[in-house]
Amino acid sequence: MTVQVTLATEGVSDQQVPVRLIVGAGLLAGDTYGRRGEGQLDQQLARYNAAAMRQPWVVLHDLDADESCPGALCQRLLPQPAALMCLRIAVRSVEAWLLADRQAFGDYFKVRQASLPKDVEGMQQPKRTMLEILSSASPALRDALVRRSRQSSVAIGPEYNSLLAELRREAWRPDSAGQDCRSLTRKLNRLVAFSEPLRTRQ
């Protein structure tokens, strides 16, 4: 019987990423909590940690501008993680992890791979960078993904979340993305280590 892991993320659109990683580690993705922003996730983290004394949890949190490094943020958010808690930090957000698979992202959204950043973890605003890149997609995709204001700033379009979810499910390759994304590689390695004792408990 496959061990089921409960998830928590900042947003609804983020949850497909840990689901892919958990399944890749040989575990079963269960219910997802949070999904109402960073503030709500941080407020509930102690409760999730208490639940992780009895069942395995994976929590994915963006680094954003909160701290200079993932370790410092983990220490601040959860200085004493439960034995079955796996808190991981995306540098600086999940969007950077998606952009790291440059071939899949370029092919899926019909944008030039040359326009995609190579140092995804060096981006200060990955979501804004992603929206700027998507504004050069084909007209049909661009209008679904990106909306421009009168001030020419970019914002999320009407189908942004659904199309990004499709990318995560159908095309994004965590192993390929991890080659240029250290925080994702650490996440993958940590999940493999996290899953080993869980599988022996079956």
mmCIF file of all heavy atoms in Angstrom, residues 57-87:
data_model
loop_
_atom_site.group_PDB
_atom_site.id
_atom_site.type_symbol
_atom_site.label_atom_id
_atom_site.label_comp_id
_atom_site.label_asym_id
_atom_site.label_seq_id
_atom_site.Cartn_x
_atom_site.Cartn_y
_atom_site.Cartn_z
ATOM 1 N N TRP A 57 3.564 15.009 6.058
ATOM 2 C CA TRP A 57 3.152 16.257 5.411
ATOM 3 C C TRP A 57 4.289 16.794 4.560
ATOM 4 O O TRP A 57 5.457 16.696 4.951
ATOM 5 C CB TRP A 57 2.809 17.322 6.453
ATOM 6 C CG TRP A 57 1.415 17.234 7.004
ATOM 7 C CD1 TRP A 57 0.917 16.277 7.840
ATOM 8 C CD2 TRP A 57 0.342 18.166 6.782
ATOM 9 N NE1 TRP A 57 -0.395 16.536 8.141
ATOM 10 C CE2 TRP A 57 -0.778 17.694 7.515
ATOM 11 C CE3 TRP A 57 0.225 19.344 6.042
ATOM 12 C CZ2 TRP A 57 -1.997 18.371 7.512
ATOM 13 C CZ3 TRP A 57 -0.981 20.016 6.044
ATOM 14 C CH2 TRP A 57 -2.079 19.526 6.762
ATOM 15 N N VAL A 58 3.954 17.406 3.435
ATOM 16 C CA VAL A 58 4.901 18.175 2.627
ATOM 17 C C VAL A 58 4.325 19.569 2.455
ATOM 18 O O VAL A 58 3.191 19.723 1.991
ATOM 19 C CB VAL A 58 5.148 17.527 1.255
ATOM 20 C CG1 VAL A 58 5.895 18.489 0.335
ATOM 21 C CG2 VAL A 58 5.942 16.233 1.409
ATOM 22 N N VAL A 59 5.096 20.578 2.862
ATOM 23 C CA VAL A 59 4.677 21.975 2.733
ATOM 24 C C VAL A 59 5.656 22.680 1.795
ATOM 25 O O VAL A 59 6.869 22.611 1.999
ATOM 26 C CB VAL A 59 4.654 22.686 4.103
ATOM 27 C CG1 VAL A 59 4.322 24.171 3.934
ATOM 28 C CG2 VAL A 59 3.647 22.012 5.037
ATOM 29 N N LEU A 60 5.119 23.345 0.775
ATOM 30 C CA LEU A 60 5.945 24.092 -0.174
ATOM 31 C C LEU A 60 5.701 25.582 0.032
ATOM 32 O O LEU A 60 4.563 26.048 -0.039
ATOM 33 C CB LEU A 60 5.611 23.702 -1.610
ATOM 34 C CG LEU A 60 6.416 24.392 -2.710
ATOM 35 C CD1 LEU A 60 7.905 24.099 -2.542
ATOM 36 C CD2 LEU A 60 5.936 23.946 -4.085
ATOM 37 N N HIS A 61 6.783 26.320 0.282
ATOM 38 C CA HIS A 61 6.710 27.754 0.590
ATOM 39 C C HIS A 61 7.674 28.487 -0.329
ATOM 40 O O HIS A 61 8.792 28.033 -0.570
ATOM 41 C CB HIS A 61 7.108 27.968 2.057
ATOM 42 C CG HIS A 61 6.785 29.315 2.616
ATOM 43 N ND1 HIS A 61 7.412 30.482 2.203
ATOM 44 C CD2 HIS A 61 5.911 29.695 3.589
ATOM 45 C CE1 HIS A 61 6.936 31.504 2.889
ATOM 46 N NE2 HIS A 61 6.015 31.060 3.726
ATOM 47 N N ASP A 62 7.258 29.635 -0.868
ATOM 48 C CA ASP A 62 8.153 30.446 -1.691
ATOM 49 C C ASP A 62 9.108 31.241 -0.811
ATOM 50 O O ASP A 62 8.733 31.689 0.280
ATOM 51 C CB ASP A 62 7.355 31.430 -2.547
ATOM 52 C CG ASP A 62 6.596 30.748 -3.678
ATOM 53 O OD1 ASP A 62 6.892 29.571 -3.960
ATOM 54 O OD2 ASP A 62 5.709 31.397 -4.259
ATOM 55 N N LEU A 63 10.325 31.422 -1.299
ATOM 56 C CA LEU A 63 11.275 32.270 -0.582
ATOM 57 C C LEU A 63 10.898 33.741 -0.735
ATOM 58 O O LEU A 63 10.948 34.505 0.222
ATOM 59 C CB LEU A 63 12.695 32.044 -1.112
ATOM 60 C CG LEU A 63 13.805 32.848 -0.436
ATOM 61 C CD1 LEU A 63 13.958 32.460 1.033
ATOM 62 C CD2 LEU A 63 15.132 32.657 -1.163
ATOM 63 N N ASP A 64 10.492 34.138 -1.953
ATOM 64 C CA ASP A 64 10.168 35.537 -2.250
ATOM 65 C C ASP A 64 11.266 36.438 -1.707
ATOM 66 O O ASP A 64 12.444 36.189 -1.897
ATOM 67 C CB ASP A 64 8.791 35.903 -1.676
ATOM 68 C CG ASP A 64 7.664 35.210 -2.444
ATOM 69 O OD1 ASP A 64 7.828 35.018 -3.663
ATOM 70 O OD2 ASP A 64 6.644 34.867 -1.841
ATOM 71 N N ALA A 65 10.884 37.498 -0.998
ATOM 72 C CA ALA A 65 11.882 38.414 -0.424
ATOM 73 C C ALA A 65 11.956 38.246 1.094
ATOM 74 O O ALA A 65 12.448 39.122 1.796
ATOM 75 C CB ALA A 65 11.534 39.855 -0.784
ATOM 76 N N ASP A 66 11.463 37.115 1.606
ATOM 77 C CA ASP A 66 11.366 36.921 3.051
ATOM 78 C C ASP A 66 12.722 36.824 3.732
ATOM 79 O O ASP A 66 12.936 37.370 4.807
ATOM 80 C CB ASP A 66 10.564 35.653 3.364
ATOM 81 C CG ASP A 66 9.116 35.768 2.927
ATOM 82 O OD1 ASP A 66 8.542 36.855 3.109
ATOM 83 O OD2 ASP A 66 8.569 34.788 2.404
ATOM 84 N N GLU A 67 13.640 36.099 3.137
ATOM 85 C CA GLU A 67 14.940 35.853 3.748
ATOM 86 C C GLU A 67 15.991 35.815 2.648
ATOM 87 O O GLU A 67 15.687 35.737 1.456
ATOM 88 C CB GLU A 67 14.945 34.515 4.505
ATOM 89 C CG GLU A 67 13.936 34.411 5.636
ATOM 90 C CD GLU A 67 14.353 35.159 6.888
ATOM 91 O OE1 GLU A 67 15.507 35.637 6.930
ATOM 92 O OE2 GLU A 67 13.531 35.249 7.811
ATOM 93 N N SER A 68 17.255 35.811 3.059
ATOM 94 C CA SER A 68 18.337 35.735 2.076
ATOM 95 C C SER A 68 18.576 34.311 1.596
ATOM 96 O O SER A 68 19.117 34.097 0.518
ATOM 97 C CB SER A 68 19.630 36.293 2.672
ATOM 98 O OG SER A 68 19.986 35.556 3.841
ATOM 99 N N CYS A 69 18.170 33.302 2.393
ATOM 100 C CA CYS A 69 18.404 31.911 1.993
ATOM 101 C C CYS A 69 17.301 31.014 2.544
ATOM 102 O O CYS A 69 16.652 31.345 3.541
ATOM 103 C CB CYS A 69 19.771 31.432 2.466
ATOM 104 S SG CYS A 69 19.911 31.246 4.243
ATOM 105 N N PRO A 70 17.060 29.857 1.909
ATOM 106 C CA PRO A 70 15.996 28.955 2.349
ATOM 107 C C PRO A 70 16.163 28.467 3.789
ATOM 108 O O PRO A 70 15.178 28.338 4.527
ATOM 109 C CB PRO A 70 16.092 27.787 1.366
ATOM 110 C CG PRO A 70 16.732 28.360 0.156
ATOM 111 C CD PRO A 70 17.693 29.392 0.665
ATOM 112 N N GLY A 71 17.418 28.174 4.193
ATOM 113 C CA GLY A 71 17.636 27.663 5.544
ATOM 114 C C GLY A 71 17.186 28.635 6.618
ATOM 115 O O GLY A 71 16.590 28.234 7.624
ATOM 116 N N ALA A 72 17.458 29.909 6.420
ATOM 117 C CA ALA A 72 17.053 30.919 7.393
ATOM 118 C C ALA A 72 15.542 31.015 7.479
ATOM 119 O O ALA A 72 14.969 31.180 8.573
ATOM 120 C CB ALA A 72 17.653 32.272 7.020
ATOM 121 N N LEU A 73 14.845 30.911 6.333
ATOM 122 C CA LEU A 73 13.386 30.976 6.350
ATOM 123 C C LEU A 73 12.793 29.754 7.031
ATOM 124 O O LEU A 73 11.853 29.865 7.831
ATOM 125 C CB LEU A 73 12.855 31.100 4.917
ATOM 126 C CG LEU A 73 11.337 31.211 4.778
ATOM 127 C CD1 LEU A 73 10.785 32.400 5.560
ATOM 128 C CD2 LEU A 73 10.932 31.300 3.307
ATOM 129 N N CYS A 74 13.330 28.572 6.750
ATOM 130 C CA CYS A 74 12.859 27.355 7.422
ATOM 131 C C CYS A 74 13.012 27.465 8.931
ATOM 132 O O CYS A 74 12.115 27.095 9.690
ATOM 133 C CB CYS A 74 13.631 26.134 6.913
ATOM 134 S SG CYS A 74 13.088 25.501 5.323
ATOM 135 N N GLN A 75 14.149 27.984 9.377
ATOM 136 C CA GLN A 75 14.409 28.122 10.803
ATOM 137 C C GLN A 75 13.436 29.094 11.452
ATOM 138 O O GLN A 75 12.966 28.875 12.573
ATOM 139 C CB GLN A 75 15.850 28.591 11.029
ATOM 140 C CG GLN A 75 16.248 28.744 12.495
ATOM 141 C CD GLN A 75 16.177 27.435 13.263
ATOM 142 O OE1 GLN A 75 16.348 26.356 12.694
ATOM 143 N NE2 GLN A 75 15.932 27.517 14.566
ATOM 144 N N ARG A 76 13.102 30.158 10.738
ATOM 145 C CA ARG A 76 12.163 31.142 11.292
ATOM 146 C C ARG A 76 10.741 30.600 11.317
ATOM 147 O O ARG A 76 10.016 30.780 12.306
ATOM 148 C CB ARG A 76 12.214 32.439 10.481
ATOM 149 C CG ARG A 76 11.213 33.499 10.955
ATOM 150 C CD ARG A 76 11.457 34.840 10.337
ATOM 151 N NE ARG A 76 11.162 34.889 8.914
ATOM 152 C CZ ARG A 76 9.923 35.024 8.404
ATOM 153 N NH1 ARG A 76 8.877 35.075 9.206
ATOM 154 N NH2 ARG A 76 9.757 35.091 7.098
ATOM 155 N N LEU A 77 10.342 29.946 10.240
ATOM 156 C CA LEU A 77 8.970 29.460 10.149
ATOM 157 C C LEU A 77 8.711 28.256 11.032
ATOM 158 O O LEU A 77 7.644 28.142 11.648
ATOM 159 C CB LEU A 77 8.645 29.096 8.693
ATOM 160 C CG LEU A 77 8.543 30.231 7.684
ATOM 161 C CD1 LEU A 77 8.371 29.661 6.289
ATOM 162 C CD2 LEU A 77 7.388 31.161 8.026
ATOM 163 N N LEU A 78 9.685 27.346 11.077
ATOM 164 C CA LEU A 78 9.461 26.073 11.767
ATOM 165 C C LEU A 78 10.756 25.588 12.401
ATOM 166 O O LEU A 78 11.424 24.696 11.881
ATOM 167 C CB LEU A 78 8.938 25.036 10.766
ATOM 168 C CG LEU A 78 8.145 23.864 11.329
ATOM 169 C CD1 LEU A 78 6.880 24.340 12.018
ATOM 170 C CD2 LEU A 78 7.796 22.905 10.201
ATOM 171 N N PRO A 79 11.139 26.175 13.553
ATOM 172 C CA PRO A 79 12.420 25.808 14.170
ATOM 173 C C PRO A 79 12.483 24.369 14.659
ATOM 174 O O PRO A 79 13.564 23.797 14.762
ATOM 175 C CB PRO A 79 12.540 26.798 15.336
ATOM 176 C CG PRO A 79 11.154 27.294 15.577
ATOM 177 C CD PRO A 79 10.454 27.266 14.264
ATOM 178 N N GLN A 80 11.319 23.753 14.940
ATOM 179 C CA GLN A 80 11.300 22.366 15.428
ATOM 180 C C GLN A 80 10.307 21.553 14.604
ATOM 181 O O GLN A 80 9.201 21.258 15.055
ATOM 182 C CB GLN A 80 10.938 22.320 16.908
ATOM 183 C CG GLN A 80 11.995 22.960 17.807
ATOM 184 C CD GLN A 80 11.646 22.838 19.270
ATOM 185 O OE1 GLN A 80 10.529 23.141 19.704
ATOM 186 N NE2 GLN A 80 12.594 22.387 20.067
ATOM 187 N N PRO A 81 10.683 21.165 13.386
ATOM 188 C CA PRO A 81 9.755 20.393 12.548
ATOM 189 C C PRO A 81 9.505 19.006 13.126
ATOM 190 O O PRO A 81 10.394 18.378 13.704
ATOM 191 C CB PRO A 81 10.482 20.302 11.204
ATOM 192 C CG PRO A 81 11.928 20.486 11.546
ATOM 193 C CD PRO A 81 11.963 21.421 12.721
ATOM 194 N N ALA A 82 8.283 18.540 12.979
ATOM 195 C CA ALA A 82 7.923 17.189 13.416
ATOM 196 C C ALA A 82 8.640 16.161 12.550
ATOM 197 O O ALA A 82 9.115 16.461 11.442
ATOM 198 C CB ALA A 82 6.413 17.003 13.326
ATOM 199 N N ALA A 83 8.694 14.934 13.051
ATOM 200 C CA ALA A 83 9.427 13.879 12.348
ATOM 201 C C ALA A 83 8.867 13.616 10.955
ATOM 202 O O ALA A 83 9.609 13.246 10.045
ATOM 203 C CB ALA A 83 9.394 12.599 13.179
ATOM 204 N N LEU A 84 7.558 13.818 10.766
ATOM 205 C CA LEU A 84 6.921 13.530 9.483
ATOM 206 C C LEU A 84 6.595 14.798 8.692
ATOM 207 O O LEU A 84 5.747 14.781 7.807
ATOM 208 C CB LEU A 84 5.651 12.699 9.702
ATOM 209 C CG LEU A 84 5.871 11.318 10.332
ATOM 210 C CD1 LEU A 84 4.544 10.605 10.544
ATOM 211 C CD2 LEU A 84 6.809 10.464 9.486
ATOM 212 N N MET A 85 7.272 15.896 9.022
ATOM 213 C CA MET A 85 7.088 17.157 8.307
ATOM 214 C C MET A 85 8.248 17.385 7.347
ATOM 215 O O MET A 85 9.417 17.270 7.721
ATOM 216 C CB MET A 85 7.004 18.327 9.291
ATOM 217 C CG MET A 85 7.102 19.723 8.656
ATOM 218 S SD MET A 85 5.814 20.079 7.427
ATOM 219 C CE MET A 85 4.375 20.278 8.473
ATOM 220 N N CYS A 86 7.917 17.717 6.103
ATOM 221 C CA CYS A 86 8.920 18.070 5.098
ATOM 222 C C CYS A 86 8.574 19.457 4.565
ATOM 223 O O CYS A 86 7.709 19.591 3.694
ATOM 224 C CB CYS A 86 8.928 17.036 3.974
ATOM 225 S SG CYS A 86 10.164 17.351 2.685
ATOM 226 N N LEU A 87 9.213 20.489 5.122
ATOM 227 C CA LEU A 87 9.020 21.863 4.672
ATOM 228 C C LEU A 87 10.134 22.209 3.695
ATOM 229 O O LEU A 87 11.303 22.121 4.040
ATOM 230 C CB LEU A 87 9.054 22.822 5.866
ATOM 231 C CG LEU A 87 9.116 24.323 5.537
ATOM 232 C CD1 LEU A 87 7.857 24.774 4.802
ATOM 233 C CD2 LEU A 87 9.311 25.140 6.822
#
